[in-house]
Amino acid sequence: MKKKIKSILKSIVPSAVIKWLYLWKESLEWFFLNSIISSFPSQTVRIIVLNLMGAKIPLSTAVYGGNEYRNPKGLVIGEGTALGHRAILDARMGLEIGKNVCFGTEVMIWSLHHDYNDIGFKGVGAKVTIGDFVWLGSRCIILPGVKIGRGAVVAAGAVVTKDVPDFTVVGGIPAKMIANRDQIAYDYSPNSYKLHMV
């Protein structure tokens, strides 16, 4: 089937255009995802397209609009997680988000950045891992290679440069421990949430 499509394309589209499209394939995919799909009014459609592009996201995930995705192939998200509006999810080096993670608005997670001491300003980075039951406050920034432990809380506006232990609350620039979180069996299911609404 692929050979048939290629032969049809070759007969219709000039080879120079095909070469150009191939060179720009990743950029065009990211444009399609971040300009069209990211703002599409259906969460289900957003998740399906992300999964078709290589991400692993269950349909139980809440994916709000306006997010920016870099390399969906490296993105893995657990059940019951809620991605807030206008998040930047950089999965170029890998990004694994656990179950029942709560994102505030405009969270930025970076897995790749530049080596400012390199003569060519080369890109360096590492996979970012977010544990289960983590709460990421609005506009916090997580830098490459960081691991956020289970049940941790990152305060709004914090810049996380180092690993965060389980059930720790961090805040500030750079983020430092400001409190401990109770180590209990958290339940973020919709039924539990409704019971606690006032």
Side-chain angles (χ1 to χ4, degrees), residues 109-125:
I109 301 176
W110 298 102
S111 68
L112 192 63
H113 60 170
H114 294 282
D115 179 355
Y116 54 81
N117 286 317
D118 182 75
I119 194 167
F121 203 47
K122 74 175 179 185
V124 294

Side-chain angles (χ1 to χ4, degrees), residues 53-55 70-76 91-96 127:
M53 295 180 84
R70 298 187 181 199
N71 186 35
K73 291 176 191 140
L75 180 61
V76 177
R92 290 174 290 177
M93 299 299 286
L95 173 54
E96 189 173 334
K127 179 181 177 179

Side-chain angles (χ1 to χ4, degrees), residues 6 9 40 67 107 112 117 127 140 144 150 167 182 189:
K6 281 183 182 178
L9 280 174
F40 197 80
N67 293 336
V107 168
L112 192 63
N117 286 317
K127 179 181 177 179
C140 71
R150 177 181 176 86
F167 298 101
D182 294 341
S189 66

